[in-house]
Each structure stands twice: as structure tokens, then as C-alpha cells.
Amino acid sequence: MTHDKNLSPVGWYAVSYLLRFVELEDDRKDDDEARFLSWENTILVRASTLEEAYEKGMTVARENAKPYKGGTQGVPVQWKLVGITDVLPIYEELQDGAEILWTERAPRKLKNLKQMVRPKGSFRQ
């Protein structure tokens, strides 16, 4: 039996979207050469297809991109939606130990691979 790699057999997808932080009154907020703090968020959505997962991801992303007053000065700011960066099917039922994401990386020296690993206790923010 052939499996479609773009279809989740369990109906779940990981959707990542990119937001950038702007001060709404900043003249450079839409300048393609300006630099912005950004966040890439990854969420789980239940969907029948990649396209449906994309649309659900966009809905959630838009909900997280509303203007508000920031800081002690109440400056008008917003996490502006740049767009969807990835839609990935999940192939296993969600449970402890289920693989939901993976990343292929270019070959690196062992000493450099070891530098990518973080020790227990270093994940708190």
C-alpha cells in the first residue's frame, strides 16, 4: 500500500507561522530592508488535508496578530503576520513518544553536533 506523504493518516498537522514585531507608528514598519524581532510559532491542527491545515493555521495566526498598547508608555504595537512557513503532516497517533516533527541536517563534525545539545534544566525561559 502506498502512503501519501502529504496526508496525515491520523488527521493532525504541525503548522508553523512567522510573526514580526512592529511599532505601528514607525515609518519603517513596512520597509523590506528594516530588521524586526520575529517569532516562529508551531501549532497543532486537526485537518483532512494540507490545504485545510494551512487555512486553520492562518486563522490561528491572524488571531495572534492583533494590535495592542505595549510597554509602560502604551505604544501602539503589533505582532504582524508574515505568513505560514511550514505545514507538516503528523504520521503517528498523539501520545507520549510520538514523533511529530523532524529536521534533516547537513553533515557536521561530531564536536559541532555535541554543541547543538542543551543540558537538562536549560530549557526554562
Side-chain angles (χ1 to χ4, degrees), residues 14-47:
V15 179
S16 297
Y17 60 92
L18 188 63
L19 301 169
R20 68 185 172 100
F21 185 77
V22 299
E23 290 186 13
L24 294 175
E25 295 172 5
D26 184 346
D27 292 337
R28 295 196 54 180
K29 71 179 176 290
D30 294 317
D31 181 347
D32 284 339
E33 297 299 317
R35 297 172 73 85
F36 298 93
L37 175 65
S38 62
W39 279 12
E40 185 173 12
N41 297 334
T42 301
I43 60 172
L44 292 174
V45 297
R46 186 176 279 286

Side-chain angles (χ1 to χ4, degrees), residues 18-19 23 37 45-46 51 68 75 80 100 110 117 122:
L18 188 63
L19 301 169
E23 290 186 13
L37 175 65
V45 297
R46 186 176 279 286
E51 292 76 17
Y68 62 96
V75 175
K80 290 195 100 168
I100 59 168
L110 177 56
V117 178
S122 69

Side-chain angles (χ1 to χ4, degrees), residues 111-122:
K111 68 180 183 179
N112 294 334
L113 289 173
K114 289 179 178 178
Q115 291 176 352
M116 295 172 64
V117 178
R118 294 172 47 191
K120 180 180 177 181
S122 69

Side-chain angles (χ1 to χ4, degrees), residues 93-104:
E93 291 291 343
L94 298 178
Q95 60 184 348
D96 282 349
E99 181 178 82
I100 59 168
L101 297 173
W102 59 271
T103 302
E104 183 174 332

